[in-house]
Amino acid sequence: MDAYKSSVDFAEATAFLSHACYEQDKMALRATLKNKSILSGLLSRLSSCSSHGRVCVSPVLVAQRRNNSTSPKLKVDFNQSTGVAVMHMQNPPVNSLSLGFLTEFCIAVEKLEMDKSCRGLILTSSQPKVFSAGLDIMDMYGKKLEQYEEFWRAVQEMWLKLYSSNMVTIAAINGSSPAGGCLMSLSCDYRIMADNPRYSIGFNETQFGIVVPVWCKEAMTTIVGHRNTELTLELGLLYNPSDALKIGLVDQLVPEDQVLATATKTMTKWLAIPDHARRITKSMMRKPTIDKIMSIREADMQQYISFISKDSTQKMLGTYLEMLKKKRG
Ligand SMILES: CCCCCCC/C=C/C(=O)SCCNC(=O)CCNC(=O)[C@H](O)C(C)(C)COP(=O)(O)OP(=O)(O)OC[C@H]1O[C@@H](n2cnc3c(N)ncnc32)[C@H](O)[C@@H]1OP(=O)(O)O
């Protein structure tokens, strides 16, 4: 129950703040998440529900629709005539999933989710050659315990929001997508990747001494099966696009300049299915995983904090950061 409430906390807070200005939003959102008394006051004014595996919030907090919103880290183009939003990630240099980015991302997805006219979401990158470099290592290195907690809650929330979305979600993977970037695309309904052998996708965490959360393992297993998950996660494998296609980590490869156009065409096909039937089916497929994750959400948080704050983990992250920086120098 606590785990469920925590998820609702964040969803409510994000929805509540989504009509205000972005910078103020983010500061207020974080303050709200930290302040349990404000949060419980907020909660008492709300009714929450769980529908088809998706956590939703009271209509009282539904933000007004704004069509083409631009924030520093995300650009959302919503086409009302097609009902499709294209979300361009623009967090240079590599679209790392920092706390700031994740906060904006959750707000943006929540806004689209609440807008009944938005039926499909395409996720892509504005950065050249990179879809997303995964979690921002700077948010996992040398921080205070409460900062680790805040960051991890945002990571969990990003995954839950995307994985349980009622919208059709398509990842238009127009660059490399390691680790958290891969997780983000795995949460979508369909993955189209640029057929460029220089790009890679997968989970490289063990290579620099960290471990993916159990819910990532669960989600991956449902997509590529137990054996492929075992090999990928234990060895920290990154695949080129054609190998990723072979194991089912992505659904389709297309020339680089056709990724977005193919995603748009594919979306039309998915949206031709009656929404209610597709949604109920999606929920039927995903709800067991979501329920499982919700039931261990707080334990997962404690496990993350204890793992990430260990001296040995911090040392390995420091070495990895150095290595990333040296690569350029
Ligand atoms: C229970 C415990 C659970 C623990 C957590 C489990 C889940 C964790 C998941 C994660 O996502 S951890 C992050 C893993 N990501 C990576 O290993 C990717 C690292 N980056 C790259 O491989 C490359 O950057 C790239 C994405 C292939 C792009 O290559 P490119 O040559 O275009 O750029 P770079 O010169 O390498 O990088 C530019 C700049 O960006 C910095 N940077 C790169 N990735 C990250 C990152 N994930 N976080 C923070 N910063 C990153 C890199 O250091 C460069 O910085 P500067 O040198 O410009 O300062």
Side-chain angles (χ1 to χ4, degrees):
M1 184 60 191
D2 277 353
Y4 173 77
K5 248 177 101 183
S6 300
S7 167
V8 175
D9 291 351
F10 196 98
E12 284 160 352
T14 53
F16 182 61
L17 290 162
S18 62
H19 60 281
C21 299
Y22 265 101
E23 285 311 310
Q24 282 174 344
D25 280 358
K26 284 186 286 177
M27 284 168 62
L29 175 61
R30 290 184 199 144
T32 304
L33 285 169
K34 276 184 188 161
N35 190 331
K36 298 269 191 238
S37 59
I38 292 176
L39 203 53
S40 55
L42 183 65
L43 276 170
S44 68
R45 302 208 320 266
L46 300 165
S47 60
S48 58
C49 60
S50 176
S51 107
H52 309 317
R54 187 182 160 262
V55 176
C56 59
V57 298
S58 161
V60 179
L61 296 184
V62 175
Q64 290 296 308
R65 181 197 312 152
R66 274 189 312 186
N67 291 335
N68 295 317
S69 64
T70 305
S71 73
K73 295 179 171 63
L74 278 176
K75 182 163 96 60
V76 182
D77 293 324
F78 177 43
N79 181 332
Q80 275 199 306
S81 62
T82 59
V84 178
V86 181
M87 193 179 275
H88 304 262
M89 297 184 278
Q90 46 182 37
N91 189 21
V94 288
N95 283 336
S96 61
L97 308 176
S98 60
L99 176 61
F101 177 89
L102 291 166
T103 307
E104 279 188 24
F105 183 85
C106 289
I107 290 171
V109 173
E110 187 67 28
K111 281 169 73 176
L112 296 171
E113 200 75 63
M114 294 297 158
D115 184 340
K116 293 277 176 288
S117 66
C118 185
R119 300 171 59 219
L121 171 64
I122 296 173
L123 194 56
T124 195
S125 163
S126 292
Q127 300 312 124
K129 301 182 292 181
V130 183
F131 180 73
S132 165
L135 303 191
D136 195 315
I137 298 168
M138 301 310 289
D139 275 317
M140 302 194 287
Y141 183 67
K143 295 279 188 284
K144 296 190 178 118
L145 294 186
E146 57 268 27
Q147 291 172 303
Y148 291 138
E149 176 173 354
E150 192 181 11
F151 177 63
W152 198 245
R153 200 165 297 290
V155 174
Q156 291 175 329
E157 193 60 29
M158 174 273 285
W159 181 81
L160 279 166
K161 278 217 173 343
L162 259 189
Y163 196 72
S164 64
S165 174
N166 273 330
M167 297 179 283
V168 174
T169 51
I170 295 182
I173 310 167
N174 51 348
S176 288
S177 194
C182 180
L183 178 65
M184 192 178 227
S185 60
L186 281 185
S187 312
C188 293
D189 294 304
Y190 197 77
R191 284 159 288 285
I192 298 164
M193 188 170 186
D195 193 4
N196 182 337
R198 287 169 175 268
Y199 297 161
S200 61
I201 184 165
F203 290 99
N204 59 333
E205 281 84 344
T206 52
Q207 295 225 15
F208 53 94
I210 63 173
V211 180
V212 299
V214 67
W215 40 273
C216 174
K217 181 268 296 178
E218 293 280 337
M220 174 135 181
T221 307
T222 63
I223 292 169
V224 299
H226 193 276
R227 183 60 181 150
N228 285 320
T229 302
E230 193 167 50
L231 288 173
T232 308
L233 297 187
E234 284 191 29
L235 296 172
L237 297 182
L238 292 175
Y239 298 90
N240 64 37
S242 61
D243 289 340
L245 182 67
K246 270 186 209 142
I247 67 161
L249 196 55
V250 297
D251 297 298
Q252 191 178 350
L253 301 184
V254 296
E256 191 148 5
D257 59 353
Q258 288 167 36
V259 175
L260 195 51
T262 310
T264 307
K265 235 189 260 169
T266 308
M267 181 62 84
T268 308
K269 207 167 78 185
W270 279 68
L271 291 182
I273 306 295
D275 264 352
H276 72 284
R278 181 194 52 75
R279 283 181 188 181
I280 293 168
T281 308
K282 179 170 178 175
S283 166
M284 189 169 70
M285 295 301 295
R286 296 190 173 200
K287 194 170 182 299
T289 306
I290 294 167
D291 288 348
K292 205 161 160 184
I293 304 318
M294 294 300 280
S295 71
I296 57 152
R297 191 170 178 178
E298 286 310 309
D300 175 65
M301 170 65 78
Q302 293 317 316
Q303 199 176 339
Y304 172 74
I305 294 172
S306 121
F307 184 87
I308 210 71
S309 58
K310 273 196 177 85
D311 286 347
S312 54
T313 309
Q314 287 293 305
K315 205 170 159 206
M316 279 186 278
L317 281 177
T319 307
Y320 187 56
L321 268 174
E322 280 298 306
M323 195 273 286
L324 279 174
K325 292 196 185 303
K326 271 197 198 126
K327 201 184 90 184
R328 276 156 66 93

